[in-house]
Structure formats: structure tokens, C-alpha cells
Amino acid sequence: MAFKVSKLDFWTATIDDRAGGAADMLEPLSAAGANFEFVFARRTPEHAGRGLLVIAPVKGAKVVKAAQAAGFSKGEMAGVRIEGNDKPGLTAKAARALGDAGVSFRALSASAIGRKFVTYVALDSAADAAKAAAALRKLG
């Protein structure tokens, strides 16, 4: 069950909950050369008319500057990325490893394409991300 575990920073922004709201936030970063591995957007029912946009990674001076100018910030969520060969039950095993290590995650997103999978875990702090990464590496 060999796979790669790496830590990453999620960048977040509040967006307008309207058609084109996410595109308006992403286009300036794309123009600056951004190449995202992870993009997640959702409405925030607790804040009518608003949404949340999460991206990763934000790399390079031009992309960082564009992200900051668009209203993105890092630091609210730390993350762990897991990738490897897909096998039945991997997500359940990863969730159990996190639970057994005492790690409570904010969000988990897992996808498989063909025989490969990628999972992103959002955590409350860099310390939680380090703890999560250590627990997940023991699975591989």
C-alpha cells in the first residue's frame, strides 16, 4: 500500500455566491501562471450571498501576489496530500489512522482516476498536519 504523503498550505477566500463568482477569483491567478492541484468551492449558508473558495498550491512570487490581491490568504487551514495506487478501503484506513492518532480533520476530499488516487485532508494547524502526515506515512 505504498503512497506519497506531503504537507501543503491551503489558501482560502470568501467569494460572492453568484454565477461567475469563483471564475472572477480564479482568473487573475491563472493569468499570473497558477497551476492548481486542488480547487474547492461551496456556498456558506451561514453567510447568505457568500461562498468559500479553497485552492492549493499557490507557488511563485507572481501567483502569491495575485492571490493576495484577489483576497486569498493562507494559514487558516493546513493540509496533507496523499497519492498512490488506488485500492479498496484506502480512504477508510486513512480516516481510521487519523482518528487513532487523535487528529480531527476539517475536511477530507478523495478521488480516484483509473488506478491512482489522491486525497486531500484539511486540518486546523501546521501541528495537526505534521501529526496527520506522520500517522498516514505509517500506512504506506
Side-chain angles (χ1 to χ4, degrees), residues 72-119:
F72 285 90
S73 62
K74 77 171 184 174
E76 183 182 321
M77 282 190 285
V80 174
R81 181 181 192 272
I82 313 155
E83 64 177 298
N85 294 324
D86 190 32
K87 299 212 189 278
L90 268 179
T91 301
K93 289 177 183 175
R96 174 53 52 211
L98 294 171
D100 289 350
V103 175
S104 177
F105 53 85
R106 293 176 69 153
L108 183 144
S109 172
S111 296
I113 299 175
R115 294 181 171 198
K116 300 289 184 182
F117 82 94
V118 64
T119 299

Short mmCIF file of all heavy atoms in Angstrom, two decimals, residues 72-119:
data_model
loop_
_atom_site.label_atom_id
_atom_site.label_comp_id
_atom_site.label_asym_id
_atom_site.label_seq_id
_atom_site.Cartn_x
_atom_site.Cartn_y
_atom_site.Cartn_z
N PHE A 72 -7.21 36.19 -1.32
CA PHE A 72 -6.87 34.89 -0.74
C PHE A 72 -5.86 35.09 0.39
O PHE A 72 -5.04 36.01 0.36
CB PHE A 72 -6.24 33.97 -1.79
CG PHE A 72 -7.21 33.39 -2.76
CD1 PHE A 72 -7.51 34.04 -3.94
CD2 PHE A 72 -7.84 32.18 -2.49
CE1 PHE A 72 -8.41 33.51 -4.84
CE2 PHE A 72 -8.74 31.63 -3.39
CZ PHE A 72 -9.03 32.30 -4.57
N SER A 73 -5.89 34.17 1.35
CA SER A 73 -4.87 34.15 2.39
C SER A 73 -4.59 32.70 2.77
O SER A 73 -5.42 31.82 2.59
CB SER A 73 -5.33 34.94 3.62
OG SER A 73 -6.50 34.36 4.17
N LYS A 74 -3.38 32.48 3.28
CA LYS A 74 -3.05 31.14 3.76
C LYS A 74 -2.95 31.19 5.26
O LYS A 74 -2.89 32.25 5.85
CB LYS A 74 -1.77 30.61 3.14
CG LYS A 74 -0.50 31.18 3.71
CD LYS A 74 0.70 30.42 3.16
CE LYS A 74 1.95 30.94 3.83
NZ LYS A 74 3.12 30.18 3.46
N GLY A 75 -2.97 30.04 5.87
CA GLY A 75 -2.80 29.99 7.31
C GLY A 75 -4.04 29.57 8.06
O GLY A 75 -3.95 29.08 9.17
N GLU A 76 -5.22 29.73 7.46
CA GLU A 76 -6.44 29.31 8.14
C GLU A 76 -6.54 27.79 8.20
O GLU A 76 -7.04 27.23 9.16
CB GLU A 76 -7.66 29.89 7.42
CG GLU A 76 -8.96 29.55 8.11
CD GLU A 76 -10.16 30.08 7.37
OE1 GLU A 76 -10.09 31.20 6.86
OE2 GLU A 76 -11.17 29.36 7.31
N MET A 77 -6.03 27.13 7.15
CA MET A 77 -6.08 25.67 7.09
C MET A 77 -4.73 25.12 6.62
O MET A 77 -4.18 25.62 5.66
CB MET A 77 -7.13 25.19 6.09
CG MET A 77 -8.54 25.26 6.57
SD MET A 77 -9.67 24.41 5.45
CE MET A 77 -9.76 25.55 4.11
N ALA A 78 -4.26 24.11 7.33
CA ALA A 78 -3.09 23.38 6.87
C ALA A 78 -3.60 22.11 6.19
O ALA A 78 -4.75 21.72 6.38
CB ALA A 78 -2.20 23.02 8.05
N GLY A 79 -2.75 21.49 5.38
CA GLY A 79 -3.24 20.32 4.67
C GLY A 79 -2.21 19.23 4.48
O GLY A 79 -1.01 19.45 4.64
N VAL A 80 -2.73 18.07 4.13
CA VAL A 80 -1.92 16.91 3.79
C VAL A 80 -2.48 16.34 2.49
O VAL A 80 -3.70 16.23 2.32
CB VAL A 80 -1.95 15.83 4.90
CG1 VAL A 80 -1.23 14.57 4.47
CG2 VAL A 80 -1.36 16.38 6.18
N ARG A 81 -1.59 15.99 1.58
CA ARG A 81 -1.95 15.37 0.30
C ARG A 81 -1.41 13.95 0.30
O ARG A 81 -0.25 13.72 0.62
CB ARG A 81 -1.33 16.16 -0.84
CG ARG A 81 -1.65 15.62 -2.22
CD ARG A 81 -0.96 16.50 -3.28
NE ARG A 81 -1.43 16.23 -4.60
CZ ARG A 81 -0.93 15.32 -5.42
NH1 ARG A 81 0.07 14.55 -5.02
NH2 ARG A 81 -1.42 15.16 -6.62
N ILE A 82 -2.27 12.99 -0.06
CA ILE A 82 -1.89 11.60 -0.13
C ILE A 82 -2.16 11.14 -1.56
O ILE A 82 -3.24 11.41 -2.09
CB ILE A 82 -2.72 10.73 0.83
CG1 ILE A 82 -2.81 11.36 2.22
CG2 ILE A 82 -2.18 9.31 0.91
CD1 ILE A 82 -4.02 10.92 2.98
N GLU A 83 -1.20 10.46 -2.18
CA GLU A 83 -1.41 9.96 -3.53
C GLU A 83 -0.76 8.60 -3.70
O GLU A 83 0.22 8.29 -3.01
CB GLU A 83 -0.86 10.93 -4.57
CG GLU A 83 0.64 11.10 -4.51
CD GLU A 83 1.17 12.01 -5.60
OE1 GLU A 83 1.01 11.68 -6.78
OE2 GLU A 83 1.76 13.04 -5.25
N GLY A 84 -1.32 7.80 -4.57
CA GLY A 84 -0.73 6.50 -4.83
C GLY A 84 -1.65 5.62 -5.64
O GLY A 84 -2.57 6.09 -6.30
N ASN A 85 -1.40 4.33 -5.57
CA ASN A 85 -2.21 3.35 -6.28
C ASN A 85 -3.49 3.10 -5.50
O ASN A 85 -3.46 2.87 -4.30
CB ASN A 85 -1.44 2.04 -6.45
CG ASN A 85 -0.25 2.21 -7.36
OD1 ASN A 85 -0.31 2.96 -8.33
ND2 ASN A 85 0.83 1.51 -7.06
N ASP A 86 -4.61 3.17 -6.20
CA ASP A 86 -5.90 3.00 -5.56
C ASP A 86 -6.15 1.55 -5.20
O ASP A 86 -5.82 0.64 -5.96
CB ASP A 86 -7.00 3.51 -6.50
CG ASP A 86 -8.34 3.59 -5.81
OD1 ASP A 86 -8.36 3.86 -4.60
OD2 ASP A 86 -9.36 3.37 -6.47
N LYS A 87 -6.72 1.35 -4.02
CA LYS A 87 -7.12 0.02 -3.56
C LYS A 87 -8.39 0.19 -2.72
O LYS A 87 -8.56 1.20 -2.04
CB LYS A 87 -6.03 -0.61 -2.69
CG LYS A 87 -4.71 -0.81 -3.42
CD LYS A 87 -4.01 -2.03 -2.89
CE LYS A 87 -2.63 -2.15 -3.44
NZ LYS A 87 -2.47 -2.72 -4.70
N PRO A 88 -9.27 -0.76 -2.76
CA PRO A 88 -10.48 -0.66 -1.95
C PRO A 88 -10.15 -0.48 -0.47
O PRO A 88 -9.24 -1.13 0.06
CB PRO A 88 -11.18 -2.01 -2.18
CG PRO A 88 -10.67 -2.48 -3.50
CD PRO A 88 -9.25 -1.99 -3.57
N GLY A 89 -10.86 0.43 0.17
CA GLY A 89 -10.70 0.62 1.61
C GLY A 89 -9.64 1.62 2.04
O GLY A 89 -9.49 1.88 3.23
N LEU A 90 -8.88 2.18 1.11
CA LEU A 90 -7.80 3.10 1.50
C LEU A 90 -8.30 4.33 2.25
O LEU A 90 -7.69 4.74 3.25
CB LEU A 90 -7.01 3.57 0.28
CG LEU A 90 -5.79 2.76 -0.10
CD1 LEU A 90 -5.13 3.32 -1.34
CD2 LEU A 90 -4.80 2.71 1.04
N THR A 91 -9.39 4.93 1.79
CA THR A 91 -9.89 6.12 2.46
C THR A 91 -10.33 5.79 3.87
O THR A 91 -10.07 6.55 4.81
CB THR A 91 -11.03 6.77 1.65
OG1 THR A 91 -10.53 7.11 0.35
CG2 THR A 91 -11.53 8.03 2.32
N ALA A 92 -10.98 4.67 4.07
CA ALA A 92 -11.40 4.26 5.41
C ALA A 92 -10.18 4.02 6.30
O ALA A 92 -10.18 4.42 7.48
CB ALA A 92 -12.26 2.99 5.33
N LYS A 93 -9.14 3.39 5.74
CA LYS A 93 -7.93 3.16 6.53
C LYS A 93 -7.24 4.46 6.90
O LYS A 93 -6.74 4.62 8.02
CB LYS A 93 -6.97 2.25 5.76
CG LYS A 93 -7.46 0.82 5.68
CD LYS A 93 -6.54 -0.05 4.86
CE LYS A 93 -7.14 -1.45 4.77
NZ LYS A 93 -6.39 -2.33 3.90
N ALA A 94 -7.23 5.42 5.97
CA ALA A 94 -6.63 6.72 6.26
C ALA A 94 -7.42 7.45 7.34
O ALA A 94 -6.85 8.01 8.28
CB ALA A 94 -6.56 7.57 4.99
N ALA A 95 -8.75 7.41 7.23
CA ALA A 95 -9.59 8.06 8.24
C ALA A 95 -9.38 7.42 9.61
O ALA A 95 -9.31 8.11 10.63
CB ALA A 95 -11.06 7.99 7.83
N ARG A 96 -9.27 6.10 9.64
CA ARG A 96 -9.03 5.39 10.91
C ARG A 96 -7.67 5.74 11.48
O ARG A 96 -7.52 5.98 12.67
CB ARG A 96 -9.14 3.87 10.70
CG ARG A 96 -8.76 3.02 11.92
CD ARG A 96 -9.47 3.36 13.22
NE ARG A 96 -10.90 3.39 13.06
CZ ARG A 96 -11.71 4.19 13.79
NH1 ARG A 96 -11.23 5.00 14.71
NH2 ARG A 96 -13.01 4.16 13.58
N ALA A 97 -6.64 5.83 10.63
CA ALA A 97 -5.29 6.19 11.10
C ALA A 97 -5.30 7.59 11.71
O ALA A 97 -4.66 7.83 12.75
CB ALA A 97 -4.29 6.11 9.95
N LEU A 98 -6.01 8.51 11.08
CA LEU A 98 -6.11 9.86 11.64
C LEU A 98 -6.84 9.85 12.98
O LEU A 98 -6.39 10.48 13.95
CB LEU A 98 -6.82 10.79 10.65
CG LEU A 98 -6.08 11.06 9.35
CD1 LEU A 98 -6.96 11.81 8.37
CD2 LEU A 98 -4.79 11.84 9.61
N GLY A 99 -7.94 9.13 13.04
CA GLY A 99 -8.68 9.04 14.29
C GLY A 99 -7.87 8.42 15.41
O GLY A 99 -7.85 8.92 16.53
N ASP A 100 -7.17 7.33 15.09
CA ASP A 100 -6.34 6.65 16.09
C ASP A 100 -5.20 7.53 16.58
O ASP A 100 -4.73 7.39 17.71
CB ASP A 100 -5.80 5.33 15.55
CG ASP A 100 -6.88 4.27 15.41
OD1 ASP A 100 -8.01 4.47 15.90
OD2 ASP A 100 -6.59 3.23 14.77
N ALA A 101 -4.74 8.45 15.71
CA ALA A 101 -3.66 9.37 16.09
C ALA A 101 -4.19 10.61 16.82
O ALA A 101 -3.43 11.49 17.20
CB ALA A 101 -2.88 9.79 14.85
N GLY A 102 -5.52 10.67 16.99
CA GLY A 102 -6.11 11.81 17.70
C GLY A 102 -6.24 13.05 16.84
O GLY A 102 -6.35 14.15 17.36
N VAL A 103 -6.25 12.87 15.52
CA VAL A 103 -6.34 14.00 14.60
C VAL A 103 -7.79 14.16 14.14
O VAL A 103 -8.37 13.24 13.57
CB VAL A 103 -5.43 13.79 13.37
CG1 VAL A 103 -5.62 14.91 12.36
CG2 VAL A 103 -3.98 13.68 13.79
N SER A 104 -8.35 15.33 14.40
CA SER A 104 -9.69 15.67 13.93
C SER A 104 -9.51 16.58 12.72
O SER A 104 -8.93 17.65 12.84
CB SER A 104 -10.47 16.38 15.03
OG SER A 104 -11.73 16.78 14.56
N PHE A 105 -10.00 16.17 11.57
CA PHE A 105 -9.79 16.97 10.37
C PHE A 105 -11.01 17.84 10.08
O PHE A 105 -12.13 17.54 10.48
CB PHE A 105 -9.44 16.11 9.15
CG PHE A 105 -10.38 14.98 8.85
CD1 PHE A 105 -11.53 15.20 8.11
CD2 PHE A 105 -10.10 13.70 9.30
CE1 PHE A 105 -12.39 14.16 7.82
CE2 PHE A 105 -10.96 12.65 9.01
CZ PHE A 105 -12.10 12.88 8.27
N ARG A 106 -10.75 18.95 9.38
CA ARG A 106 -11.83 19.88 8.98
C ARG A 106 -12.56 19.39 7.75
O ARG A 106 -13.76 19.60 7.61
CB ARG A 106 -11.23 21.25 8.66
CG ARG A 106 -10.65 21.94 9.86
CD ARG A 106 -9.99 23.22 9.46
NE ARG A 106 -11.00 24.19 9.04
CZ ARG A 106 -10.84 25.50 9.13
NH1 ARG A 106 -9.73 25.99 9.61
NH2 ARG A 106 -11.78 26.31 8.72
N ALA A 107 -11.82 18.77 6.83
CA ALA A 107 -12.41 18.29 5.59
C ALA A 107 -11.52 17.21 5.01
O ALA A 107 -10.32 17.18 5.26
CB ALA A 107 -12.58 19.43 4.59
N LEU A 108 -12.14 16.33 4.21
CA LEU A 108 -11.41 15.29 3.51
C LEU A 108 -12.03 15.16 2.13
O LEU A 108 -13.26 15.11 2.00
CB LEU A 108 -11.52 13.97 4.27
CG LEU A 108 -10.74 12.80 3.69
CD1 LEU A 108 -10.18 11.94 4.81
CD2 LEU A 108 -11.59 11.96 2.76
N SER A 109 -11.19 15.16 1.11
CA SER A 109 -11.63 15.00 -0.27
C SER A 109 -10.78 13.92 -0.91
O SER A 109 -9.56 13.99 -0.87
CB SER A 109 -11.45 16.32 -1.03
OG SER A 109 -11.70 16.14 -2.40
N ALA A 110 -11.44 12.91 -1.47
CA ALA A 110 -10.71 11.79 -2.09
C ALA A 110 -11.29 11.51 -3.46
O ALA A 110 -12.50 11.52 -3.66
CB ALA A 110 -10.81 10.55 -1.21
N SER A 111 -10.39 11.27 -4.43
CA SER A 111 -10.81 10.93 -5.79
C SER A 111 -9.87 9.88 -6.35
O SER A 111 -8.70 9.82 -5.99
CB SER A 111 -10.72 12.16 -6.70
OG SER A 111 -11.62 13.15 -6.27
N ALA A 112 -10.42 9.07 -7.24
CA ALA A 112 -9.61 8.08 -7.95
C ALA A 112 -9.84 8.25 -9.44
O ALA A 112 -10.97 8.49 -9.87
CB ALA A 112 -9.97 6.67 -7.52
N ILE A 113 -8.76 8.13 -10.19
CA ILE A 113 -8.83 8.13 -11.65
C ILE A 113 -8.03 6.93 -12.10
O ILE A 113 -6.83 6.83 -11.83
CB ILE A 113 -8.27 9.43 -12.25
CG1 ILE A 113 -9.10 10.62 -11.78
CG2 ILE A 113 -8.24 9.34 -13.77
CD1 ILE A 113 -8.57 11.97 -12.22
N GLY A 114 -8.70 6.01 -12.76
CA GLY A 114 -8.02 4.78 -13.15
C GLY A 114 -7.55 4.04 -11.92
O GLY A 114 -8.31 3.78 -11.01
N ARG A 115 -6.26 3.76 -11.89
CA ARG A 115 -5.69 3.01 -10.76
C ARG A 115 -5.00 3.91 -9.74
O ARG A 115 -4.37 3.41 -8.81
CB ARG A 115 -4.71 1.98 -11.28
CG ARG A 115 -5.40 0.92 -12.10
CD ARG A 115 -4.43 -0.11 -12.59
NE ARG A 115 -5.19 -1.20 -13.19
CZ ARG A 115 -4.69 -2.38 -13.40
NH1 ARG A 115 -3.44 -2.65 -13.09
NH2 ARG A 115 -5.44 -3.31 -13.93
N LYS A 116 -5.10 5.22 -9.90
CA LYS A 116 -4.44 6.17 -8.99
C LYS A 116 -5.49 6.90 -8.15
O LYS A 116 -6.63 7.09 -8.58
CB LYS A 116 -3.63 7.22 -9.78
CG LYS A 116 -2.54 6.62 -10.63
CD LYS A 116 -1.43 6.09 -9.78
CE LYS A 116 -0.29 5.58 -10.64
NZ LYS A 116 0.78 5.02 -9.85
N PHE A 117 -5.09 7.31 -6.95
CA PHE A 117 -5.98 8.09 -6.10
C PHE A 117 -5.21 9.30 -5.57
O PHE A 117 -3.98 9.31 -5.51
CB PHE A 117 -6.51 7.27 -4.92
CG PHE A 117 -5.54 7.18 -3.77
CD1 PHE A 117 -5.60 8.08 -2.71
CD2 PHE A 117 -4.56 6.21 -3.76
CE1 PHE A 117 -4.68 7.99 -1.66
CE2 PHE A 117 -3.64 6.12 -2.72
CZ PHE A 117 -3.71 7.02 -1.66
N VAL A 118 -5.97 10.29 -5.17
CA VAL A 118 -5.41 11.44 -4.46
C VAL A 118 -6.43 11.85 -3.41
O VAL A 118 -7.63 11.85 -3.66
CB VAL A 118 -5.04 12.62 -5.39
CG1 VAL A 118 -6.27 13.18 -6.07
CG2 VAL A 118 -4.29 13.71 -4.63
N THR A 119 -5.93 12.12 -2.21
CA THR A 119 -6.76 12.55 -1.09
C THR A 119 -6.15 13.80 -0.50
O THR A 119 -4.93 13.88 -0.31
CB THR A 119 -6.83 11.44 -0.02
OG1 THR A 119 -7.43 10.28 -0.60
CG2 THR A 119 -7.65 11.88 1.19
#
